[in-house]
Structure formats: C-alpha cells, structure tokens
Amino acid sequence: SLKKVDLSSFNTSKVTNMCAMFANDDALEEVDCSSFDTSNVTNMYAMFCYLPACKKIDVSSFNTAKVTTMWGMFSNDSQVEVLDVSGFNTANVTNMQYMFNNCQKLKRLDTSGWGNTSKVTNFGGFITNAYALTDIDVSGLSFDAMTNKDTFWSGLKSLESITFGQNFRFVNSAAIPSIAATAGYTGNWTLADPYNHTDAMSADKLTSSYSATETTPSGESYVGIWIWEKEGDDPSKPKG
C-alpha cells in the first residue's frame, strides 16, 4: 500500500478541480502539497477526505483565493495532529460543511488569516469530534450568509483556549464546552489579557453573554483570547 507520494514535480498551475484528489486512501500516511500552485483551483471538495492513517498534510502554501467549496476537505482525517490552514483566503468560499469533521487528534485550529467567510452559507459540522483540540482561533469566521441550521462545532472536550474575533457570534446551538473544576482551575472561563477573576464565567454564561459589541463585567471587550480560570488571588489586585 502507498504510504507516501512524491508530488514535487506536479504542475498544477492550470488545475481548477481538485475534488477528492486524495480521498479514501486508508494507507497514505503523509501528503506534502507544498509545491502545488492552486491559484486557479475553484473546487477542493473532499480533497483529503477520509485518510485514516495520515498524520501529516502540508497545505501551508495553498492559494485558495478562487476556491468556492471546501466541503469535507479534511473530514475523517482522524490521525492528523497539525494542520496549518492559517493562510487560507476564504473570500469566495460558500460551503465549509464538515470541513474538519472527526479530526480526532487535531490539536490546534487557526482561522485568523482567513480574512472573511462572509459568503459561506453552510458551516454545518464545520469542526466536530476534535477530541484533542486544545486551542481554537475563530477570529477569521463570520456567519453573515449562513443558512444551514446545523451546529458548526461540537465534541471539543479538550478545549483550553478560544480566540474570538470582531465578526464572530454563536449560531445554531453552538456552545462553549463546559469544563470541570480540577486541581488549580475553577471550572470557569476568563479573558487571558487582562487576566482577572471579575470576568470569569461558566461556559453557558459566556456562550449566552458573548457579543463583539458588548463589554465584560470588568468593562473589557469580549473579543480576544479566553482561557481556563486559575484558582487563587486576582493577579490584577496587589496583595496585602
């Protein structure tokens, strides 16, 4: 079975359709697309869908300016731990359904460089069952055109850090994962900067209160990084 493929000599400069290009290969362990010219690609539907043995997919150099669909692009890639999509241009994408569905070992997702997702109508199951995910940056997401009613995230039971952006809002029953009080932590979420206990709140409270245009109890913007609240004295107040 093929575990690794050399794609360095591929000339993809005129390719418009990469639909399911690597999909359903249960032996492939590594895909390096760093040499791909994707400047004319419009379709990345299920491009890497169901690669259950794959641990590395390099798409860091992708030019996605013309792409309109990313449906299931990395769906069921259950062994991938690192996936750099921070440089994606999503200005023309309309469909992101199941994009990171069942990426069980993915540790971080960063959308900060996406610019906008204002044309996306379908975010259903965007990231689900990413059980190992500890850090998510959703500052590049907006739901202006969204019509699909399915939740865009679920099953993020290891999440420890969330970065919100100016255009983000909670839609379709999506909710911040609840965290249990454990040694050193209270079970609440709070802003990372400035860190203070005044803004600490439960997952349910943060989900219902979050608004990019409103302020937290301490007067700070909700936009920013939210982390688990630590037990102990409020670091914003002097001791004594």
Side-chain angles (χ1 to χ4, degrees):
S1 296
L2 190 64
K3 294 185 177 181
K4 184 177 180 180
V5 58
D6 183 1
L7 306 167
S8 59
S9 63
F10 273 33
N11 182 345
T12 59
S13 59
K14 295 183 179 180
V15 176
T16 59
N17 190 342
M18 290 187 172
C19 173
M21 186 173 182
F22 301 97
N24 300 314
D25 188 326
D26 58 9
L28 197 61
E29 295 181 356
E30 181 177 340
V31 185
D32 183 354
C33 297
S34 58
S35 63
F36 275 23
D37 179 347
T38 57
S39 57
N40 284 307
V41 177
T42 60
N43 188 347
M44 290 186 173
Y45 183 103
M47 185 174 178
F48 304 97
C49 182
Y50 192 70
L51 303 179
C54 194
K55 298 179 180 179
K56 182 180 180 181
I57 302 174
D58 188 345
V59 293
S60 58
S61 63
F62 270 24
N63 179 342
T64 58
K66 292 184 179 180
V67 177
T68 59
T69 179
M70 291 182 174
W71 185 100
M73 189 172 177
F74 305 101
S75 181
N76 289 301
D77 294 341
S78 57
Q79 299 300 308
V80 172
E81 295 183 7
V82 179
L83 196 56
D84 183 1
V85 295
S86 60
F88 276 19
N89 180 337
T90 56
N92 286 306
V93 179
T94 61
N95 193 337
M96 288 185 173
Q97 186 174 31
Y98 303 132
M99 189 170 175
F100 303 98
N101 171 56
N102 208 33
C103 290
Q104 296 182 15
K105 291 190 176 181
L106 188 65
K107 295 181 178 179
R108 187 171 190 267
L109 179 62
D110 182 1
T111 70
S112 61
W114 288 14
N116 73 78
T117 56
S118 59
K119 293 183 180 179
V120 177
T121 59
N122 193 344
F123 275 104
F126 173 71
I127 181 164
T128 57
N129 301 329
Y131 301 130
L133 196 76
T134 59
D135 183 352
I136 189 169
D137 185 327
V138 291
S139 62
L141 300 184
S142 61
F143 302 103
D144 300 342
M146 185 174 180
T147 57
N148 182 279
K149 299 302 182 182
D150 295 332
T151 187
F152 71 93
W153 75 15
S154 63
L156 310 186
K157 64 181 183 181
S158 298
L159 205 57
E160 298 176 358
S161 175
I162 309 170
T163 302
F164 294 116
Q166 194 64 43
N167 296 315
F168 183 84
R169 59 189 171 90
F170 283 99
V171 292
N172 298 354
S173 73
I176 296 171
S178 297
I179 52 179
T182 56
Y185 296 95
T186 65
N188 290 325
W189 291 87
T190 192
L191 273 169
D193 184 20
Y195 180 85
N196 65 79
H197 293 295
T198 303
D199 289 331
M201 58 188 79
S202 68
D204 288 345
K205 178 66 174 177
L206 180 55
T207 300
S208 62
S209 301
Y210 179 84
S211 171
T213 60
E214 300 294 331
T215 57
T216 66
S218 72
E220 298 294 333
S221 170
Y222 278 94
V223 174
I225 303 172
W226 286 77
I227 58 174
W228 291 8
E229 181 195 25
K230 296 179 181 178
E231 291 181 337
D233 294 334
D234 186 339
S236 67
K237 297 178 180 179
K239 294 183 179 180

